[in-house]
Amino acid sequence: MKRLLLLGTAGALLSACASIEPVEPAADVVSADYPVVAAIDSANAADLDWRAVFVDPQLQQLVDIALDESRPLRLALLDAETARAQLRVQRASFFPMIGAAGSYSRSRSAPLPGFQDAGVITQAQATVGVSAFELDLFGRLRAQSESAFQTYLAAGEGAQAARITLSAAVADAYVATLTAQERLALVEATAQDWRASQTLTQRLFEAGQADGTEVAAAEAQVRTAEADLEAARREAAVALNALVLVVGRPLPFELAMPSSDASPVLTRLPAGLPSNLLTRRPDIRQAERALLASRADIRAARRAFLPSISLTGQYGYASNDLDSLFDGPEVWTFAPQINLPIFQGGRLQAQLDLAILRQNKAVASYELAIQQAFSEVADGLAARETFDRQIAAQRSAVEASQRRSALVETRYRAGATSRLELLDAQRQLYAGQQALLAAKAAQMSASIALYRALGGGPVAERIAPA
């Protein structure tokens, strides 16, 4: 038995003291610079207040409402508060649990044969005790507290990431709603123009200057516009419903279309340096905190192999009379206890292996978060550098199509060209206008995604270290 005890003690100490090198994230998961297509800015969008980025007054009001009403954000904040409570629970293990107890009893036993009546027995007792207070000699409790603390900070970063995601989601839904309404207005105007063109074709047919095929083509064109009109109405309704959902309650006002392109929804965003992502993006900081928590779990799992010492004690008074309880004799107990794990069926080793695997998973998650952040920023910068030129070219194409459509219609009225050429010119103009709307919407969505990717978001109180 002595040999078994010595071997078990030695094995536990060796397992606890074995060197486990922490797994470090790879240093070359991303490039040191953004792609050449993007210019490097000295400033960073994450330094800007969200109101300086979302400059549209309607959008600012909707983001404010969403930050108060959003249910997903409430869940993220409740997760952070839950982690805060768990941290307090874990830190309470550093303090002894002290409790007071009192008892009072009166009893009368039946007399035994040959003895006198035993009478009434009274017993009173009052004690104050310390129950199972563990002395953290080897740092197991400290490691568990560190893990809870890092988890708490990670939850706080997750709440901040949820705020950023929410503000960007509101902006995306707002842009989609405005785009849908603008497309609806375009389709309505186009349908009206094509109806007028159909009326003109019908009059020319009645005057003998057009044949039946031209009338049929004009009618088919109008029916196509009417089908597009219903689709645009459905798209506008669905986009508005999505905006109401992400805001968290019905909109307090009816959306008004911006007066012109001179009234932007967002400003141009500076990107800063790639290294800023590690400190600006809350999701990266959250992954880093999770990695630190996993390392603390490994330390706690290793310390579980070592002996633990706990103290239990009581001090109080006992008396046969309640009135003279505190004048009675003192009673106390003091019971230190040492526990040394010898054989537990491999449970402690399995817990250590599990903690190591979780650390490896946390490292991979941290690296993946960095790679995703770098890719998102690179995509946003590529969009920032190309959309302006694309929209300018598309706007020029629309202007050219408008001139062509006007000239062809004039010639058609004069009988100098066919209905087929007018139809082609009108369809080309309609397609160009739709493409311009799509490009402008994609540019705003890319700007929103870039702001989110750079770690920007609404200024809000963040959970500070306790």
Side-chain angles (χ1 to χ4, degrees):
M1 181 61 67
K2 292 182 178 179
R3 291 180 180 178
L4 181 61
L5 180 60
L6 292 176
L7 288 176
T9 304
L13 293 175
L14 288 175
S15 299
C17 297
S19 176
I20 299 177
E21 295 294 333
V23 179
E24 297 293 341
D28 56 348
V29 291
V30 294
S31 174
D33 299 308
Y34 291 128
V36 180
V37 68
I40 299 299
D41 303 306
S42 58
N44 190 289
D47 295 325
L48 300 176
D49 181 87
W50 68 274
R51 294 182 181 274
V53 177
F54 301 150
V55 294
D56 187 284
Q58 293 184 135
L59 176 56
Q60 291 179 353
Q61 187 174 352
L62 293 178
V63 172
D64 274 331
I65 295 173
L67 291 175
D68 293 332
E69 300 290 339
S70 172
R71 274 61 177 178
L73 180 58
R74 289 185 189 179
L75 292 176
L77 297 178
L78 288 174
D79 287 340
E81 291 301 319
T82 301
R84 185 197 296 266
Q86 290 174 341
L87 175 62
R88 294 200 305 268
V89 171
Q90 183 59 46
R91 286 185 169 176
S93 61
F94 287 99
F95 302 95
M97 291 184 292
I98 301 176
S103 63
Y104 174 77
S105 65
R106 289 174 59 86
S107 62
R108 181 178 183 280
S109 60
L112 296 176
F115 293 90
Q116 294 182 351
D117 190 353
V120 177
I121 300 175
T122 302
Q123 186 175 13
Q125 186 173 356
T127 59
V128 175
V130 176
S131 58
F133 172 57
E134 181 177 347
L135 300 178
D136 192 28
L137 299 179
F138 301 104
R140 184 180 66 87
L141 297 181
R142 289 193 297 272
Q144 291 178 343
S145 178
E146 174 65 17
S147 175
F149 179 59
Q150 296 298 338
T151 301
Y152 157 65
L153 294 181
E157 298 296 351
Q160 181 68 3
R163 292 188 181 96
I164 297 173
T165 300
L166 175 62
S167 62
V170 173
D172 273 330
Y174 179 72
V175 168
T177 303
L178 292 185
T179 301
Q181 291 182 353
E182 192 172 357
R183 180 174 181 270
L184 177 58
L186 170 64
V187 176
E188 287 176 341
T190 301
Q192 183 177 357
D193 291 342
W194 289 1
R195 290 190 188 100
S197 179
Q198 180 191 18
T199 302
L200 174 62
T201 303
Q202 182 67 32
R203 289 176 180 174
L204 292 175
F205 173 73
E206 294 171 355
Q209 298 181 8
D211 57 23
T213 59
E214 293 179 342
V215 175
E219 183 180 358
Q221 187 180 30
V222 171
R223 297 297 177 263
T224 300
E226 290 174 348
D228 288 348
L229 183 59
E230 295 303 323
R233 287 170 177 165
R234 180 176 63 252
E235 179 185 346
V238 171
L240 182 60
N241 293 337
L243 179 59
V244 171
L245 176 63
V246 73
V247 168
R249 65 179 176 89
L251 306 187
F253 53 84
E254 291 189 6
L255 296 181
M257 295 294 296
S259 58
S260 66
D261 290 340
S263 302
V265 176
L266 297 95
T267 58
R268 182 179 175 86
L269 302 176
L273 301 175
S275 58
N276 291 335
L277 290 179
L278 300 179
T279 57
R280 301 288 186 177
R281 293 249 317 200
D283 58 335
I284 294 180
R285 295 194 301 265
Q286 182 181 15
E288 182 180 7
R289 296 295 184 185
L291 174 58
L292 295 177
S294 68
R295 290 177 176 173
D297 289 336
I298 290 179
R299 293 196 300 272
R302 292 175 60 188
R303 301 303 189 271
F305 287 90
L306 298 175
S308 62
I309 300 176
S310 59
L311 303 178
T312 302
Q314 285 186 342
Y315 176 82
Y317 295 90
S319 174
N320 292 330
D321 187 357
L322 183 62
D323 294 335
S324 60
L325 172 62
F326 295 99
D327 296 330
E330 299 178 358
V331 295
W332 58 269
T333 60
F334 178 67
Q337 183 179 3
I338 182 169
N339 296 308
L340 175 63
I342 297 177
F343 176 76
Q344 297 188 10
R347 183 178 62 88
L348 296 180
Q349 185 61 47
Q351 290 177 344
L352 178 58
D353 294 340
L354 179 61
I356 294 174
L357 290 174
R358 286 175 175 170
Q359 177 195 229
N360 296 338
K361 183 178 178 180
V363 170
S365 298
Y366 181 54
E367 293 174 347
L368 179 60
I370 295 176
Q371 289 176 334
Q372 287 178 337
F374 188 89
S375 176
E376 290 171 0
V377 174
D379 291 344
L381 293 179
R384 189 187 69 174
E385 298 300 317
T386 57
F387 265 121
D388 287 340
R389 295 190 294 271
Q390 177 186 353
I391 291 175
Q394 187 63 42
R395 185 175 285 111
S396 298
V398 169
E399 293 172 354
S401 296
Q402 287 174 334
R403 293 195 302 270
R404 181 198 172 201
S405 180
L407 292 173
V408 171
E409 185 174 359
T410 301
R411 295 182 63 197
Y412 178 70
R413 288 175 180 271
T417 187
S418 66
R419 171 70 189 180
L420 181 61
E421 184 177 358
L422 176 61
L423 178 62
D424 180 69
Q426 290 175 334
R427 287 179 174 175
Q428 183 180 17
L429 174 59
Y430 181 50
Q433 291 172 326
Q434 298 247 37
L436 180 59
L437 282 179
K440 290 162 59 178
Q443 182 189 39
M444 287 188 288
S445 295
S447 297
I448 296 169
L450 178 60
Y451 185 54
R452 181 175 59 243
L454 291 172
V459 177
E461 181 182 359
R462 296 167 59 187
I463 297 180

